[in-house]
Amino acid sequence: MDMSTLTMIRKSVRNFTDKPIENIAEVEQIFKYCESLDSKIKTEINIVDKRDLPNKIKNISGYNGYLIDAPNYILIYSEMKPHFIENVGFIGENIIIKLTDMGIDTCWLTIKEEEVVKEPETKLRLTGLIAAGYGGKRKNRKVINKMLWGKGYDNLEVKYTDTDNALKNALVDIVYMGDYGEKATPDDIINSGLYEALCSACHAPSALNRQPWRFIIDGGVVSLIIKKDAYTNIYEAKINAGAVMFNFLAVVKERLFNAEWKMGAKNKYNIPDDCVAVAYCEI
């Protein structure tokens, strides 16, 4: 399938069957050819059976504090350099999209933020964790209020909703032209040639499906802005940003031309204090 379709149908699964992934060797081949934001950042990717997932990892990771039971887990290790978490988010989403094409279901799992930077700088540390396998028949349930680490779904008054990969925000509400807050019209988005790429970016995963991203189109530059969220920590925001950047770039490269993201802000764009300029792409 083409990248635009894969990013649209990709979903986070939190109810897996016990059936392990059959073609592990093929999955491991995917790891060897993953694109990254920064090839200078050293990474290592492994896939393990759930019986081989170390207890230490079980205690520091999960979906908002709840470790989802899956037959396999993908572990992404990275050295600590500037933007290494965004880089892992980019790589991990690349893997997820390719697994989607193979009929394998996945879900990003959060790692406690302080544990990501706990290891010495000379050592690779676990930075990304993805549950993988085959989804069950029961509908996924999404937690929509804040939870505490270690409490999982036993939290008092936890609120749920059935999940899907539908967008919470229309493109015209999150795409701006020339400056933050200057909303794009449907014609602006279509005429930019970036409609499919923006749609794919907006279908990227986000913590609690908050979808905090915004985009500024300024001539030949697209800037990614992330809106700060009390329910999303810095680690989650950076993983989300990496995933958004992969989805956008994958479609741009497939449908238009080669491009790349550069970290930081191209211009100020009157970005408010509750937002952060993550990166920009010159197209």
Side-chain angles (χ1 to χ4, degrees):
M1 280 183 278
D2 63 89
M3 295 304 297
S4 179
T5 300
L6 286 169
T7 57
M8 298 293 184
I9 66 172
R10 166 249 189 272
K11 62 183 183 296
S12 296
V13 169
R14 287 174 278 281
N15 173 43
F16 290 90
T17 67
D18 294 329
K19 179 183 177 181
I21 294 174
E22 298 171 337
N23 41 354
I24 294 294
E26 188 176 348
V27 172
E28 290 175 331
Q29 282 297 309
I30 288 174
F31 300 162
K32 295 180 181 180
Y33 303 104
C34 279
E35 293 184 58
S36 62
L37 277 175
D38 187 346
S39 60
K40 295 178 181 178
I41 300 176
K42 184 178 179 180
T43 58
E44 181 179 301
I45 311 171
N46 300 315
I47 183 168
V48 299
D49 183 277
K50 69 177 180 180
R51 294 169 297 183
D52 299 324
L53 187 68
N55 286 329
K56 177 183 177 181
I57 293 178
K58 294 178 183 178
N59 294 333
I60 65 169
S61 59
Y63 175 72
N64 202 30
Y66 173 79
L67 183 65
I68 292 170
D69 187 31
N72 298 97
Y73 296 91
I74 296 168
L75 291 69
I76 309 176
Y77 295 86
S78 175
E79 63 178 333
M80 192 173 75
K81 285 187 174 182
H83 311 299
F84 75 104
I85 299 177
E86 294 94 327
N87 189 55
V88 166
F90 189 96
I91 292 170
E93 193 63 15
N94 189 348
I95 292 169
I96 284 173
I97 294 301
K98 290 181 179 179
L99 293 183
T100 298
D101 200 24
M102 294 172 61
I104 297 172
D105 295 311
T106 56
C107 184
W108 275 103
L109 302 178
T110 297
I111 300 171
K112 282 186 178 180
E113 189 173 11
E114 62 272 20
E115 298 293 337
V116 174
V117 296
K118 191 174 182 179
E119 301 289 354
E121 288 192 19
T122 55
K123 185 176 180 180
L124 297 183
R125 74 284 320 281
L126 180 66
T127 309
L129 181 64
I130 300 168
Y134 303 97
K137 293 182 180 180
R138 180 170 58 83
K139 278 189 175 182
N140 296 325
R141 304 184 80 195
K142 181 186 72 179
V143 182
I144 56 174
N145 65 324
K146 197 169 185 178
M147 296 170 59
L148 301 176
W149 276 100
K151 297 296 183 180
Y153 289 142
D154 294 328
N155 257 345
L156 182 65
E157 296 182 357
V158 172
K159 299 177 183 178
Y160 299 99
T161 183
D162 289 335
T163 62
D164 55 29
N165 63 343
L167 298 180
K168 291 172 60 178
N169 303 305
L171 284 183
V172 291
D173 293 325
I174 61 174
V175 177
Y176 306 126
M177 299 300 294
D179 216 351
Y180 191 94
E182 298 295 328
K183 288 187 178 182
T185 66
D187 284 344
D188 288 333
I189 296 171
I190 295 296
N191 292 336
S192 73
L194 297 172
Y195 173 77
E196 285 184 292
L198 290 167
C199 283
S200 291
C202 291
H203 277 86
S206 60
L208 301 180
N209 198 32
R210 307 287 285 187
Q211 300 179 6
W213 33 75
R214 304 291 185 268
F215 301 90
I216 300 173
I217 300 175
D218 181 19
V221 177
V222 177
S223 295
L224 171 63
I225 313 298
I226 298 292
K227 193 173 178 64
K228 297 176 185 177
D229 188 333
Y231 291 94
T232 304
N233 63 36
I234 294 175
Y235 167 79
E236 292 168 331
K238 290 184 175 183
I239 287 289
N240 296 165
V244 170
M245 285 190 278
F246 173 78
N247 280 13
F248 178 88
L249 200 60
V251 175
V252 167
K253 285 184 174 182
E254 184 176 77
R255 298 296 176 89
L256 300 172
F257 36 69
N258 198 25
E260 65 178 359
W261 286 101
K262 297 179 181 179
M263 304 305 295
K266 179 72 171 179
N267 290 302
K268 293 184 178 180
Y269 293 125
N270 290 316
I271 296 170
D273 292 339
D274 64 345
C275 293
V276 177
V278 176
Y280 63 93
C281 182
E282 295 177 317
I283 55 174

